Amino acid sequence: MRKLSAVLTKGGALLLGSTILCTSGTAFAQQANTDDDRDIVVTASKREENLQDVPLAITAIGTERLSELQVKEFQDVVKFLPSVTIQTLAPGFSQVYFRGVASGENANHSTSLPTVGTYLDEMPITTIQGALDIHAYDLARVEALAGPQGTLYGASSMAGTIKLVTNKPDTSGTYGSAGLELNTVSSGGIGGVAEGFINAALSERAALRLVAWYRHDAGYIDNIAGSRTYPTSGITQNNAPFVEKDYNDVDTYGARLALGIELDDDWTIRPTLMGQIQKANGSFAQERSAAVSRSLQTVQYNPERSDDKWIQAALTIEGKIGNWDLTVTGGHLRRKTLTDSDYSDYAYFYDAINGSGAYFYDNDGDLVSPNQYIQGIDRYKRSFGEIRVASPADARIRFIGGLFWQRQSHNIEQHYIIDDISDDIQVPGTDDNIWLTKQLRVDRDYAAFGELSFDITDKLTLTGGGRVYKFDNSLVGFFGYNNPGFSSNPVYACQGPAVVAGSPCTNLDKRTKKTDFIHKLNLTYKFTDDVMVYATWSRGFRPGGINRRGSLPPYGSDRLDNYEAGWKTSFGDVRFNGAIYQEDWNNIQLSFLGANGLSEVRNAGIARIRGIEADLNYRAGGLTLSFGGSYNDATIRRDFCAIANAAFDCTTPGNAELAPSGSRLPVTAKFKGNAVARYEFPLVGNDGHFQFAVNHIGKRRSDLRTFENDIVGNYKAYTTVDLSFGIKGEDWNAELFATNLFNSRGVINSAVQCGETICGDAFDDTANGGVFYDNVIRPRLIGIKVSKDF
């Protein structure tokens, strides 16, 4: 029993759009203390190097630029990362993709890990639900590393890595800043932000940094009045208790406390504690059905909300052993999400087409409303540790390597509820559950990694890297209807007593593990100090896992081979960087809804992505122009069949072709681009500025499979325009801004609640009212913000 969707399932100066090239997956940009903010320093493989000297495609946006671009959350920053695509269902439920490496993952709790790794400073924070939706304040930078980063970042960095780097405690003095924002969203309400930080120098060798924020995002989706009558029982349901205008508002608040201690000239300790609470109400999708008359409306019959709470503690120790650098880092993350979801579409269509409502009765034998809703509790724990060493940066032969370990668990609890059903059809030990998922998923990773660079000549450098890894993943617990009432069905039959607390028994207990090796090879040539080219052959991987349908085997890991050639050039006021690449995606983990509406994952098919990404930057006087874009031709290279491993022949009896060879991969547009123009000028004794930004995303498929894509439809291309005008004094700043000025309704995700074999037959039936849900970008936002430094 599942909610089906194309994606949705149950369950500081910087380079804007700049391809920063670095020698390894640990390359992260740092601002140099120079008079020219184009002299950016990066720590490639934890070594400080000039931005233009390192060969890896990276886009970085730093503290001031994040504020200038009105970035408050992850979705905002993705607009300015040309190689990155995002799909989001609601705050805290987002998936990101690099360079078109997406197969339509449904992000179910029992399916594949993401293809992109997300880091908060040194700690990986990727979960199956998506990355933490961290409020973007007091971040030193956001960095996007395109292409496989597996040798140094490992699992779930198959297609790329995104790192959120916080500002560190500063021993130079005590200072801080506070800011306020007031905004209004088109067709919605009023929101605002309050945020601030203080950096306190405790001594010449110790400092403390405290950061706090509160943000209210106004709603813009209206839950309008509606009713429906269930055919089997004739019971009519209405949503009067839940009708509300602008009901998808969000409150986000959190804090970060960081301590920096320099023990001596060689050793530093940095403990950090960070947490956030995000309360989101309502649905973040507009409805396509006969029940609504305009955009930004929906008809929901049950509560919709999510509470997302997380806390992270981390510690990094840096020092020297002789002339080698040593870094020891570790951390622990706990996250808990509480969700309420309307599931009445599923109930209605199953009743209308299959008469399922006849099976739902109370203890007196009378029919009850089949109306169904979901209450979810997801608990995540993640611990990691890494130790690495690096040889002197000025040597002709340079090495970085180390050991890595992590363990992440997901305690899954999903209650599918029909009120007042009889005791003999509800899942034992629950209150009105027609279905229960109560499972424990554990993903374990171990690795040894290293990279070695050798300067063949003063101009030519060869770098080789590798990672030996082992994953060990398990899934145990219960999913299904009443047992033993359905024990005759082998899919749900109990295999033993309850292992996971809160479950009636155990009907799934499997584990999969594998040890393997991936590599990276890079050759770099510098014609001059301002012109450099490179070529890279690298590989990324994603661990295998467990199919929760007990009759199916575990799915194996998939891998991505990247063949890339790039360049970096600087000519006076102009900088032009870019990369051309081909990525071969093999043994793809394809996730979809199978029989009984259960998610399945299987390794089937291969894909090829050919693309180019580039940026052009110009700066002279007060004028800055930045252009960034990417083109990705991403297609499958083999017919995708309903039955895997059938000699890849969709004509095999009982098999069927779901997508022919040459079909485009979903989610990512062929072209994505952005342009930003900023002009700074004197204004009444202060510094004024005007900024114009435009972003474009092309047409995208919603699903790899032809039939499902035809049902849901393609995502149309859309363009957004942002404007801002501001004035900056010595210790204050004021700005008027507008994002999505022309109020685009760009769609970034579409979904339905029940399987295509059921809902698909009803979509064209106006009487039954087939229902689609389209997640759209935020409507036009107009605001004013002020800040004061002290």
Side-chain angles (χ1 to χ4, degrees), residues 537-552:
W537 174 30
S538 58
R539 174 173 290 178
F541 76 100
R542 179 170 50 167
I546 303 299
N547 271 299
R548 65 171 176 165
R549 181 188 296 278
S551 59
L552 294 177

Side-chain angles (χ1 to χ4, degrees), residues 131-171:
L132 300 181
D133 196 3
I134 299 173
H135 177 66
Y137 178 67
D138 198 46
L139 295 179
R141 58 200 175 271
V142 176
E143 302 175 359
L145 286 68
Q149 305 299 324
T151 52
L152 293 178
Y153 279 87
S156 289
S157 286
M158 180 178 73
T161 299
I162 292 179
K163 186 171 184 181
L164 311 176
V165 183
T166 61
N167 282 312
K168 304 300 185 291
D170 177 11
T171 59

Side-chain angles (χ1 to χ4, degrees), residues 679-712:
Y679 183 62
E680 299 176 347
F681 51 90
L683 181 64
V684 293
N686 296 290
D687 298 323
H689 74 264
F690 177 80
Q691 183 171 286
F692 172 89
V694 60
N695 296 270
H696 175 79
I697 296 180
K699 183 176 72 173
R700 294 137 289 146
R701 288 177 66 98
S702 60
D703 199 287
L704 173 63
R705 299 163 296 173
T706 303
F707 177 71
E708 286 74 11
N709 189 75
D710 290 344
I711 290 175
V712 178

Side-chain angles (χ1 to χ4, degrees), residues 26 150-154 385-389 399-405 446-451 465-469 517-518:
T26 57
T151 52
L152 293 178
Y153 279 87
E386 180 175 299
I387 180 171
R388 63 177 181 266
V389 295
F399 173 78
I400 181 171
L403 301 174
F404 175 86
W405 163 85
Y446 316 88
F449 61 90
E451 284 193 354
R467 187 182 190 95
V468 178
Y469 68 87
F517 171 81
I518 58 173

